[in-house]
Amino acid sequence: MAVFPMFIELENEICLIIGGGKVALRKAEVLLDMGAEVHVISREFEPELEECQSPGRLECHAVDGGPLAAAVWLEQNARKEGIGNVAMLICATDDERINHQMVLWAKKNRIPANSATNPADCDFYFPSVVRRGNLMVGVSTGGRTPALSRMVSRQIQEMLPEWYETLAETGVEARGRIHQGTVDSGERKEILVKVLKAALEDKGRLTEEDIDRIIQDNRAGEKNGR
């Protein structure tokens, strides 16, 4: 069954990761890039996770015990550690039993969960992400073939050079100036397309004067057309 792709705002939202290995590291890197506050709960941690710790950004919490050690730790320490409303839980251990138990804990607490070992346990799927500024592409196979997601995302990375970040910023600037200059929605769309096409020809770079000129030229063309 097809799933609906939805982008959500994670700036300053708390995300929990169970497990401290390489999978957890990859998930943490993506979440941190989105501005989330990430808490990793595990017996052991990849060195990069521990090295990158910073209060309010990335924190590692060591636990000992059985499969539900992370759940027990959360029940006893979440408030003390400042982990309040949780946006999502990522179960990233290599033990499907542990991941499943943590998914059940998340469901009990009404927290959306993702399991790295069982797609059927997922409330949402963690996509491969290609980002160029505010332009973002997410690729997912619904957890069935992660290698294919990574392969497709690499192809997209090659198609979208780094200067697309500048193009995305130009689009934001242009949209604001166009909305100031006209109230007609059809005209706004037409001008924005012209601005983006012009920016593509110059690797995303357009000045405010360039944008204003395109707006004026479009208006002049409409008047002459009448």
Side-chain angles (χ1 to χ4, degrees):
M1 182 181 295
V3 294
F4 179 72
M6 181 175 68
F7 292 86
I8 62 173
E9 177 62 65
L10 287 180
E11 185 75 25
N12 296 322
E13 295 288 346
I14 294 175
C15 298
L16 303 182
I17 298 178
I18 309 301
K22 294 186 182 301
V23 174
L25 175 61
R26 290 199 301 269
K27 307 295 189 186
E29 289 173 339
V30 174
L31 293 172
L32 289 170
D33 191 42
M34 303 302 151
E37 178 181 331
V38 180
H39 292 260
V40 185
I41 304 168
S42 181
R43 293 179 181 176
E44 299 177 345
F45 304 92
E46 284 290 310
E48 292 92 333
L49 282 170
E50 294 185 302
E51 292 168 3
C52 293
Q53 287 192 86
S54 175
R57 287 285 291 149
L58 172 64
E59 298 184 36
C60 296
H61 308 279
V63 297
D64 293 308
L68 285 180
V72 171
W73 185 91
L74 283 165
E75 297 284 3
Q76 295 177 346
N77 297 282
R79 184 173 299 178
K80 182 178 69 176
E81 296 293 336
I83 305 173
N85 296 323
V86 177
M88 65 175 63
L89 175 75
I90 309 294
C91 302
T93 79
D94 57 3
D95 188 321
E96 185 171 344
R97 185 169 63 105
I98 292 176
N99 289 342
H100 179 68
Q101 291 297 324
M102 288 306 304
V103 167
L104 294 179
W105 176 86
K107 289 183 182 299
K108 183 185 72 173
N109 289 277
R110 298 186 177 183
I111 300 170
N114 171 276
S115 171
T117 53
N118 186 0
D121 267 349
C122 295
D123 296 312
F124 67 94
Y125 301 105
F126 211 100
S128 294
V129 176
V130 179
R131 184 176 183 183
R132 299 291 184 264
N134 57 42
L135 174 64
M136 189 176 301
V137 181
V139 182
S140 174
T141 58
R144 269 68 178 179
T145 319
L148 178 58
S149 296
R150 291 192 292 271
M151 183 185 303
V152 173
S153 68
R154 284 194 293 269
Q155 292 175 336
I156 294 174
Q157 285 179 334
E158 294 173 359
M159 293 170 57
L160 301 179
E162 293 295 334
W163 57 262
Y164 262 63
E165 179 173 351
T166 304
L167 176 63
E169 293 171 355
T170 297
V172 173
E173 173 67 22
R175 192 166 182 268
R177 300 187 75 79
I178 292 168
H179 274 245
Q180 291 175 6
T182 179
V183 296
D184 183 84
S185 61
E187 183 181 2
R188 286 174 174 175
K189 293 178 182 177
E190 181 180 348
I191 296 173
L192 184 57
V193 169
K194 289 181 179 180
V195 169
L196 292 175
K197 285 183 176 179
L200 275 170
E201 295 176 358
D202 194 24
K203 294 188 175 182
R205 295 185 295 270
L206 280 185
T207 65
E208 293 180 358
E209 290 75 17
D210 293 330
I211 296 171
D212 290 339
R213 187 185 68 254
I214 293 172
I215 294 173
Q216 295 303 320
D217 288 348
N218 189 78
R219 287 182 170 176
E222 288 187 346
K223 289 180 181 179
N224 292 334
R226 293 193 188 101

